[in-house]
Amino acid sequence: MSGRIPGPVMVASGCGGTGRELSAYAGPEGLDGLDFVTRSITLDARSGARGPRVAEVPGGLVSAVGLPNPGLEHFLATELPWLVRAGVRVVVSIAGATMGEYADLAGRLGRAPGVVGLEVNVGAPDETSDGLYEVREPYHAASVVAAVRREFASDRPVLAKLRPDVSRVVEGARACHEAGATAVVVGNAVPAALPDGRPGGLSGPALAPIALRCVAAVSRALPAVPVIGCGGVHDVDSARAYLAAGATSVQVGTAMLHDPTTVARLRASLDQPPHQEDA
């Protein structure tokens, strides 16, 4: 995948587990060739937020997971080798407490066999990322992307995942692209609250109209920047809406938690002319 933007359909970060969970739902092709974004990996293991972490709401989910993951060493030793053997195109999502941690992650993952790209998590709601680098301004995101780009091979893509903030998404996308991002992912969860009042992020179909507007805005303002649409993609029509708005690819997230066959179905459907698709 050197130099290639992933897609047209990808598993969004955090929604495919370790990848093993999807093997029974991957369709006739299996996991071979699947563009898979891992859960966000940090240098050290994180246990995540206290439960309950997820609440279903009309039109989506509110979550406050705290980015639980086994840490880089465990990921490199166990999860990555399994994904590579399965034929998965592995894009590793990374998160850190400092720019130095982002750079360290990029450098070490850049030397790991089978990592075809990185996704820089610079758009998660601040409240769900306790102890991690707080990205409140576009120049913060650009600084992180620049640190990652310096340490990661130039012939492999670096994706900057941004929050769908209508007022600032174009500014953020421009800054990240100028800092070295190959493409931008729009968007991430937006700030929300769990039923008990704890802060979290809203994802799912309720997010789609906002994310679609942001994708269209970035595509119009920055036609040379590839945009990956994310937020509420659950069937071929919702995927095509993002592509029509200017996205080059889409990511499927929350829908995978409801129907883990979603990516397999979309991969098959988008390879066919519209009149051949199942109703």
Side-chain angles (χ1 to χ4, degrees):
M1 184 186 118
S2 296
R4 184 177 77 82
I5 302 297
V9 183
M10 309 167 65
V11 177
S13 176
C15 297
T18 65
R20 296 173 189 261
E21 298 87 343
L22 293 182
S23 58
Y25 306 98
E29 297 181 3
L31 297 179
D32 187 50
L34 177 69
D35 287 306
F36 180 90
V37 185
T38 70
R39 53 185 164 173
S40 291
I41 301 298
T42 52
L43 282 176
D44 299 317
R46 290 174 60 92
S47 59
R50 65 177 176 88
R53 298 177 176 181
V54 178
E56 188 170 5
V57 297
L61 295 176
V62 176
S63 61
V65 298
L67 302 185
N69 76 95
L72 180 62
E73 293 296 341
H74 185 276
F75 173 78
L76 292 175
T78 61
E79 295 184 13
L80 178 60
W82 188 92
L83 290 167
V84 172
R85 288 194 299 271
V88 174
R89 299 179 185 271
V90 185
V91 177
V92 182
S93 173
I94 58 174
T98 66
M99 282 191 285
E101 287 192 7
Y102 276 100
D104 193 5
L105 285 160
R108 295 174 67 182
L109 287 164
R111 297 188 293 272
V115 175
V116 300
L118 297 180
E119 181 176 275
V120 186
N121 187 353
V122 290
D126 299 333
E127 297 88 350
T128 67
S129 305
D130 182 49
L132 297 180
Y133 189 86
E134 294 188 2
V135 180
R136 298 182 181 276
E137 302 291 341
Y139 68 83
H140 288 160
S143 297
V144 172
V145 169
V148 169
R149 182 80 277 178
R150 284 193 295 269
E151 300 296 329
F152 196 67
S154 61
D155 63 348
R156 285 181 283 175
V158 169
L159 315 179
K161 189 168 187 178
L162 306 175
R163 185 186 298 171
D165 180 343
V166 174
S167 65
R168 311 195 74 172
V169 68
V170 172
E171 182 184 1
R174 179 182 290 110
C176 286
H177 186 63
E178 291 176 350
T182 313
V184 294
V185 181
V186 180
N188 210 324
V190 297
L194 289 164
D196 62 7
R198 284 182 294 139
L202 173 67
S203 62
L207 182 61
I210 301 171
L212 273 170
R213 175 170 170 173
C214 290
V215 166
V218 173
S219 298
R220 285 195 304 268
L222 306 170
V225 179
V227 182
I228 299 170
C230 181
V233 177
H234 64 283
D235 59 14
V236 70
D237 289 336
S238 56
R240 289 193 186 282
Y242 275 102
L243 299 176
T248 58
S249 308
V250 296
Q251 291 187 357
V252 182
T254 301
M256 295 292 288
L257 306 179
H258 171 71
D259 180 1
T261 69
T262 303
V263 164
R265 291 189 291 102
L266 288 182
R267 289 173 76 190
S269 295
L270 291 178
D271 283 340
Q272 300 175 359
H275 69 278
Q276 294 183 11
E277 294 163 4
D278 294 335

